[in-house]
Amino acid sequence: MSNVLFRILKETHKFTSTANVFTKATTARNNLYSRVSPLGDPRISVIPVLDKWVEEGRKVKAHDLQRLVKSLRSGRRYKQALEVSEWMSNKELGKFSLADRAIQLDLIGRVRGLEFAENYIENMDDEEKIDKIYGALLNCYVREGLVDKALSIMQKIKELGFAGTTLNYNDLMCLYTRTGQFEKVPDILSEMKENNVTPDNFSYRICMNAYATTNDLDNVEIILKEMESQPSISMDWLTYATVAHIYIKVGEKQKAIGYLKKCEEIVGKDVLGYNHLISLYASLGDKDEMMRLWGLQKAKCKKQVNRDYITMLGCLVKLGEFEESEKLLEQWESSSRFYDFRVPNVLLIGYCKEGLIEKAEGMFQNWVQKQKRPIPNSWSILAAAYANKQNMEKAFECMKEALAVQEENVWWRPKAELISNILSWLGDNGDIEEVEAFVSSLESKFPKNREMYHTMVKAYDRVGKEVNVLAADKEADGDEEAKMKL
């Protein structure tokens, strides 16, 4: 329960803090972001795009690059965000501030590992090692769950005369949550207050979550009342949604509903808030409240986007309301200008999980009739459903379709277990030409590995065709000489 709720808290916290950045970065289409955004595959370098932008004589402003870095980070495209950050510092476009360096340090830790992050800070001048820099390193340690190193950096921050920030203390609470030491989280909140560091909404929520892991609901209520009494705290819908979620998990429905009502009172026109409310009522199995809130969301919010339909469809599918889901999907199709397959994929997944393969096939037939081209993930969902039914021939055919429609620069990767099952079946049953073609198409998505070549070995062995097994193994490990032999 705790880990799920913790992820909800953290992801929502990140979403609300980066939403404005993302919006600003994507407002104008003829900008740098519009060129970088389609490069969804994290293996693709964005540096050629940046260089070409300059070659075209276009201006590059530091604040535009900073926004781009933040947008890429919010989309978890860390490698590309680091490329932009380093390109920006190497080109000396305006002042590369210590705040920029702190972000770069965090990205280095994510992309290249802790050793590189530690080397980065060691090579900085002493006067540059401010609280933001050490805070970024602290975040790296927290992410990796390294308690001793995180506490050591926090102590260093204090010894250097930097007052610990709310963010630093929140990081420590996240660390103890991540490592399952929930009993230590309230102590950090107490330390914050003793050191005159003001807790924020996230501080209180993560502490409530810690108490919830041991079903200590009395202290959840005490923390909530303390939060409500603080003049520095503006009560938000997410806090009441968090408490409602806690009570849902322990089966106290009426308590949960009470806090859901409080959440609704202050949600205003926040679309994300309505999505949370709908999801929580789905957890209670209350379809009527879901539909009521869906109607309110449409009435109060300017526009419902694909994300909102994905939430509502997912909740209806969760309750087994497939007829209602189909009606909602029809509404979305009639109102949507761009056919985003992530929306119908929610229903497709629902069909497949329930074993309704004919319904899933019907969706594909409907797409064909409407001249819609399913994305790779849609084919992969159907392939997995066939594999679960032990119909490996159809699973193989669907995966071939997925790889065939895969577009360049669009990041998608099939599930390793599904690919493994298909390869195993192919080795025993596939024609040589099919095996070779499938393995070749896979190489655009996966690094070459022994499993691919062992599939070919099994297929070759069935028809008496020789293959250099040792060379295949070496090539799977990146041996250049072996590649020549094959």
Side-chain angles (χ1 to χ4, degrees), residues 371-382:
Q371 297 183 330
K372 306 293 184 184
R373 189 186 186 200
I375 59 175
N377 197 39
S378 301
W379 285 109
S380 182
I381 292 165
L382 191 57

Side-chain angles (χ1 to χ4, degrees), residues 141-166:
Y141 290 144
V142 169
R143 192 165 53 242
E144 298 297 325
L146 301 175
V147 176
D148 291 341
K149 285 197 169 188
L151 294 177
S152 176
I153 283 294
M154 188 64 172
Q155 184 60 34
K156 191 175 187 68
I157 290 172
K158 295 174 182 176
E159 289 173 356
L160 290 172
F162 300 124
T165 64
T166 302

Side-chain angles (χ1 to χ4, degrees), residues 35-52 68 72 77-84 86-87 112 408-409 411:
R35 296 196 183 182
V36 172
S37 180
L39 306 179
D41 187 336
R43 297 173 299 179
I44 299 173
S45 173
V46 300
I47 291 176
V49 177
L50 299 173
D51 289 339
K52 184 172 176 56
L68 181 56
L72 291 169
R77 294 164 63 174
Y78 302 118
K79 180 177 177 292
Q80 293 175 337
L82 178 57
E83 286 182 336
V84 176
E86 292 183 331
W87 188 86
R112 297 180 187 141
E408 186 180 358
N409 296 345
W411 177 243

Side-chain angles (χ1 to χ4, degrees), residues 111-361:
V111 176
R112 297 180 187 141
L114 286 175
E115 184 179 350
F116 286 89
E118 290 169 336
N119 289 338
Y120 182 89
I121 198 170
E122 285 176 9
N123 292 326
M124 294 178 69
D125 295 333
D126 288 342
E127 62 269 19
E128 294 178 314
K129 297 176 183 178
I130 61 172
D131 56 338
K132 285 186 175 65
I133 299 297
Y134 283 115
L137 186 59
L138 171 63
N139 192 51
C140 290
Y141 290 144
V142 169
R143 192 165 53 242
E144 298 297 325
L146 301 175
V147 176
D148 291 341
K149 285 197 169 188
L151 294 177
S152 176
I153 283 294
M154 188 64 172
Q155 184 60 34
K156 191 175 187 68
I157 290 172
K158 295 174 182 176
E159 289 173 356
L160 290 172
F162 300 124
T165 64
T166 302
L167 179 60
N168 293 154
Y169 282 105
N170 285 353
D171 272 343
L172 289 183
M173 286 195 278
C174 289
L175 173 67
Y176 286 131
T177 298
R178 189 182 298 276
T179 56
Q181 301 179 70
F182 303 104
E183 71 282 357
K184 294 184 178 181
V185 173
D187 294 337
I188 299 299
L189 185 65
S190 297
E191 184 182 331
M192 288 178 75
K193 291 182 282 189
E194 289 170 7
N195 293 336
N196 296 317
V197 177
T198 305
D200 61 11
N201 296 54
F202 185 71
S203 311
Y204 284 113
R205 283 196 291 266
I206 198 168
C207 191
M208 285 191 286
N209 178 50
Y211 281 126
T213 60
T214 57
N215 290 340
D216 187 350
L217 302 181
D218 289 339
N219 269 314
V220 170
E221 292 283 353
I222 288 171
I223 291 293
L224 179 61
K225 285 183 172 58
E226 178 184 326
M227 188 178 178
E228 290 174 326
S229 68
Q230 298 300 311
S232 61
I233 294 291
S234 175
M235 295 301 295
D236 56 0
W237 61 261
L238 182 55
T239 296
Y240 291 118
T242 299
V243 180
H245 184 268
I246 290 170
Y247 279 112
I248 288 170
K249 287 296 183 181
V250 298
E252 293 202 22
K253 182 175 180 179
Q254 292 307 313
K255 276 274 193 179
I257 290 174
Y259 285 109
L260 288 174
K261 295 300 182 185
K262 285 192 173 186
C263 177
E264 186 179 339
E265 287 173 5
I266 58 176
V267 73
K269 297 181 180 180
D270 193 319
V271 177
L272 189 62
Y274 280 103
N275 286 349
H276 269 68
L277 279 166
I278 289 168
S279 297
L280 290 169
Y281 275 112
S283 297
L284 291 171
D286 196 331
K287 177 191 169 187
D288 290 340
E289 280 299 291
M290 285 167 47
M291 300 307 294
R292 181 184 68 81
L293 287 162
W294 178 250
L296 276 177
Q297 184 181 4
K298 286 197 288 188
K300 290 190 174 184
C301 303
K302 290 183 179 179
K303 183 181 179 183
Q304 287 173 307
V305 296
N306 292 338
R307 179 195 62 223
D308 309 321
Y309 280 95
I310 288 170
T311 297
M312 189 62 185
L313 277 171
C315 291
L316 288 169
V317 167
K318 181 178 181 179
L319 299 186
E321 297 284 349
F322 287 101
E323 185 176 345
E324 200 73 51
S325 300
E326 290 161 4
K327 291 178 182 177
L328 182 62
L329 186 60
E330 288 178 5
Q331 293 174 18
W332 170 77
E333 287 179 330
S334 64
S335 63
S336 178
R337 296 180 182 178
F338 171 71
Y339 205 91
D340 184 346
F341 276 91
R342 293 176 302 168
V343 180
N345 273 358
V346 175
L347 186 52
L348 182 65
I349 292 170
Y351 286 149
C352 291
K353 281 185 176 179
E354 293 297 317
L356 304 173
I357 303 296
E358 291 183 359
K359 281 276 194 180
E361 289 175 335

